[in-house]
mmCIF file of all heavy atoms in Angstrom:
data_model
loop_
_atom_site.group_PDB
_atom_site.id
_atom_site.type_symbol
_atom_site.label_atom_id
_atom_site.label_comp_id
_atom_site.label_asym_id
_atom_site.label_seq_id
_atom_site.Cartn_x
_atom_site.Cartn_y
_atom_site.Cartn_z
ATOM 1 N N PHE D 101 -8.816 15.345 13.077
ATOM 2 C CA PHE D 101 -8.477 15.952 11.754
ATOM 3 C C PHE D 101 -9.653 15.815 10.828
ATOM 4 O O PHE D 101 -10.121 16.802 10.104
ATOM 5 C CB PHE D 101 -7.284 15.224 11.136
ATOM 6 C CG PHE D 101 -6.907 15.843 9.792
ATOM 7 C CD1 PHE D 101 -6.290 17.117 9.660
ATOM 8 C CD2 PHE D 101 -7.094 15.085 8.626
ATOM 9 C CE1 PHE D 101 -6.005 17.598 8.448
ATOM 10 C CE2 PHE D 101 -6.875 15.555 7.386
ATOM 11 C CZ PHE D 101 -6.246 16.798 7.297
ATOM 12 N N PRO D 102 -10.379 14.618 10.636
ATOM 13 C CA PRO D 102 -11.500 14.652 9.851
ATOM 14 C C PRO D 102 -12.605 15.589 10.218
ATOM 15 O O PRO D 102 -13.251 16.223 9.361
ATOM 16 C CB PRO D 102 -11.984 13.226 9.927
ATOM 17 C CG PRO D 102 -10.765 12.434 10.383
ATOM 18 C CD PRO D 102 -10.055 13.316 11.279
ATOM 19 N N LEU D 103 -12.730 15.769 11.536
ATOM 20 C CA LEU D 103 -13.742 16.721 12.089
ATOM 21 C C LEU D 103 -13.334 18.165 11.693
ATOM 22 O O LEU D 103 -14.222 19.035 11.425
ATOM 23 C CB LEU D 103 -13.986 16.626 13.602
ATOM 24 C CG LEU D 103 -14.604 15.266 14.030
ATOM 25 C CD1 LEU D 103 -14.455 15.162 15.545
ATOM 26 C CD2 LEU D 103 -15.982 15.160 13.513
ATOM 27 N N LEU D 104 -11.970 18.486 11.611
ATOM 28 C CA LEU D 104 -11.506 19.735 11.232
ATOM 29 C C LEU D 104 -11.932 20.035 9.818
ATOM 30 O O LEU D 104 -12.352 21.278 9.499
ATOM 31 C CB LEU D 104 -9.960 19.843 11.323
ATOM 32 C CG LEU D 104 -9.308 21.124 10.944
ATOM 33 C CD1 LEU D 104 -9.779 22.216 11.937
ATOM 34 C CD2 LEU D 104 -7.733 20.948 10.981
ATOM 35 N N LEU D 105 -11.933 19.016 8.979
ATOM 36 C CA LEU D 105 -12.345 19.186 7.603
ATOM 37 C C LEU D 105 -13.863 19.698 7.423
ATOM 38 O O LEU D 105 -14.194 20.360 6.598
ATOM 39 C CB LEU D 105 -12.183 17.962 6.813
ATOM 40 C CG LEU D 105 -10.756 17.514 6.624
ATOM 41 C CD1 LEU D 105 -10.645 16.235 5.780
ATOM 42 C CD2 LEU D 105 -9.836 18.701 5.978
ATOM 43 N N THR D 106 -14.691 19.242 8.433
ATOM 44 C CA THR D 106 -16.093 19.517 8.403
ATOM 45 C C THR D 106 -16.336 20.955 8.693
ATOM 46 O O THR D 106 -17.490 21.473 8.405
ATOM 47 C CB THR D 106 -16.830 18.658 9.374
ATOM 48 O OG1 THR D 106 -16.483 18.980 10.748
ATOM 49 C CG2 THR D 106 -16.642 17.199 9.138
ATOM 50 N N MET D 107 -15.365 21.622 9.248
ATOM 51 C CA MET D 107 -15.556 23.128 9.528
ATOM 52 C C MET D 107 -15.797 23.866 8.268
ATOM 53 O O MET D 107 -16.334 24.986 8.307
ATOM 54 C CB MET D 107 -14.371 23.763 10.366
ATOM 55 C CG MET D 107 -14.154 23.009 11.700
ATOM 56 S SD MET D 107 -12.889 23.681 12.674
ATOM 57 C CE MET D 107 -13.498 25.399 12.953
ATOM 58 N N VAL D 108 -15.256 23.340 7.195
ATOM 59 C CA VAL D 108 -15.419 23.965 5.909
ATOM 60 C C VAL D 108 -16.929 24.229 5.501
ATOM 61 O O VAL D 108 -17.311 25.191 4.873
ATOM 62 C CB VAL D 108 -14.647 23.231 4.699
ATOM 63 C CG1 VAL D 108 -14.950 23.891 3.317
ATOM 64 C CG2 VAL D 108 -13.212 23.100 5.005
ATOM 65 N N THR D 109 -17.683 23.288 6.010
ATOM 66 C CA THR D 109 -19.091 23.257 5.719
ATOM 67 C C THR D 109 -19.819 24.476 6.465
ATOM 68 O O THR D 109 -21.003 24.819 6.102
ATOM 69 C CB THR D 109 -19.751 21.982 6.057
ATOM 70 O OG1 THR D 109 -19.643 21.728 7.485
ATOM 71 C CG2 THR D 109 -19.139 20.861 5.272
ATOM 72 N N HIS D 110 -19.167 24.987 7.491
ATOM 73 C CA HIS D 110 -19.713 26.122 8.146
ATOM 74 C C HIS D 110 -19.279 27.485 7.667
ATOM 75 O O HIS D 110 -19.806 28.524 8.152
ATOM 76 C CB HIS D 110 -19.322 26.094 9.740
ATOM 77 C CG HIS D 110 -19.714 24.838 10.343
ATOM 78 N ND1 HIS D 110 -21.119 24.395 10.414
ATOM 79 C CD2 HIS D 110 -19.077 23.851 11.014
ATOM 80 C CE1 HIS D 110 -21.148 23.253 11.068
ATOM 81 N NE2 HIS D 110 -19.998 22.910 11.434
ATOM 82 N N ILE D 111 -18.379 27.543 6.669
ATOM 83 C CA ILE D 111 -17.818 28.832 6.196
ATOM 84 C C ILE D 111 -18.850 29.205 5.079
ATOM 85 O O ILE D 111 -19.049 28.588 4.099
ATOM 86 C CB ILE D 111 -16.418 28.671 5.593
ATOM 87 C CG1 ILE D 111 -15.466 28.143 6.726
ATOM 88 C CG2 ILE D 111 -15.885 29.959 4.992
ATOM 89 C CD1 ILE D 111 -14.082 27.855 6.325
ATOM 90 N N VAL D 123 -16.888 16.416 1.601
ATOM 91 C CA VAL D 123 -16.516 16.186 3.060
ATOM 92 C C VAL D 123 -17.764 15.693 3.698
ATOM 93 O O VAL D 123 -17.822 14.716 4.473
ATOM 94 C CB VAL D 123 -16.024 17.416 3.693
ATOM 95 C CG1 VAL D 123 -16.065 17.269 5.243
ATOM 96 C CG2 VAL D 123 -14.678 17.872 3.282
ATOM 97 N N ASP D 124 -18.929 16.306 3.364
ATOM 98 C CA ASP D 124 -20.241 15.869 3.949
ATOM 99 C C ASP D 124 -20.553 14.374 3.613
ATOM 100 O O ASP D 124 -21.116 13.659 4.508
ATOM 101 C CB ASP D 124 -21.357 16.798 3.388
ATOM 102 C CG ASP D 124 -21.594 17.976 4.240
ATOM 103 O OD1 ASP D 124 -21.111 17.949 5.419
ATOM 104 O OD2 ASP D 124 -22.141 18.996 3.756
ATOM 105 N N ILE D 127 -17.648 12.073 5.539
ATOM 106 C CA ILE D 127 -17.773 12.266 7.014
ATOM 107 C C ILE D 127 -19.075 12.460 7.382
ATOM 108 O O ILE D 127 -19.491 13.658 7.720
ATOM 109 C CB ILE D 127 -16.670 13.297 7.529
ATOM 110 C CG1 ILE D 127 -15.364 13.189 6.898
ATOM 111 C CG2 ILE D 127 -16.618 13.285 9.069
ATOM 112 C CD1 ILE D 127 -14.331 14.200 7.235
ATOM 113 N N GLN D 132 -18.908 11.467 12.500
ATOM 114 C CA GLN D 132 -18.571 12.629 13.352
ATOM 115 C C GLN D 132 -18.879 12.285 14.811
ATOM 116 O O GLN D 132 -18.071 12.594 15.763
ATOM 117 C CB GLN D 132 -19.374 13.841 12.924
ATOM 118 C CG GLN D 132 -18.925 14.377 11.606
ATOM 119 C CD GLN D 132 -19.769 15.606 11.333
ATOM 120 O OE1 GLN D 132 -19.884 16.582 12.109
ATOM 121 N NE2 GLN D 132 -20.301 15.678 9.980
ATOM 122 N N TYR D 194 -24.474 20.598 13.209
ATOM 123 C CA TYR D 194 -23.549 19.797 14.093
ATOM 124 C C TYR D 194 -22.328 20.651 14.406
ATOM 125 O O TYR D 194 -21.779 21.359 13.563
ATOM 126 C CB TYR D 194 -23.180 18.510 13.356
ATOM 127 C CG TYR D 194 -24.267 17.593 13.042
ATOM 128 C CD1 TYR D 194 -24.732 17.400 11.735
ATOM 129 C CD2 TYR D 194 -24.944 16.967 14.108
ATOM 130 C CE1 TYR D 194 -25.737 16.493 11.492
ATOM 131 C CE2 TYR D 194 -26.020 16.138 13.820
ATOM 132 C CZ TYR D 194 -26.448 15.866 12.550
ATOM 133 O OH TYR D 194 -27.465 15.000 12.275
ATOM 134 N N PHE D 196 -19.757 18.958 16.396
ATOM 135 C CA PHE D 196 -18.931 17.952 17.032
ATOM 136 C C PHE D 196 -17.397 18.390 16.902
ATOM 137 O O PHE D 196 -16.661 18.101 17.832
ATOM 138 C CB PHE D 196 -19.033 16.569 16.290
ATOM 139 C CG PHE D 196 -20.319 15.871 16.569
ATOM 140 C CD1 PHE D 196 -21.263 15.569 15.600
ATOM 141 C CD2 PHE D 196 -20.653 15.481 17.876
ATOM 142 C CE1 PHE D 196 -22.428 14.918 15.961
ATOM 143 C CE2 PHE D 196 -21.856 14.881 18.248
ATOM 144 C CZ PHE D 196 -22.748 14.588 17.201
ATOM 145 N N GLU D 197 -17.109 19.017 15.788
ATOM 146 C CA GLU D 197 -15.647 19.483 15.669
ATOM 147 C C GLU D 197 -15.350 20.454 16.663
ATOM 148 O O GLU D 197 -14.109 20.560 17.090
ATOM 149 C CB GLU D 197 -15.487 20.023 14.203
ATOM 150 C CG GLU D 197 -15.959 21.411 13.980
ATOM 151 C CD GLU D 197 -17.408 21.524 13.758
ATOM 152 O OE1 GLU D 197 -18.113 20.579 13.807
ATOM 153 O OE2 GLU D 197 -17.933 22.687 13.723
#
Side-chain angles (χ1 to χ4, degrees):
F101 181 73
L103 295 172
L104 180 64
L105 296 178
T106 66
M107 295 182 69
V108 176
T109 63
H110 299 304
I111 300 175
V123 169
D124 270 340
I127 309 173
Q132 292 181 45
Y194 298 114
F196 286 120
E197 78 283 354

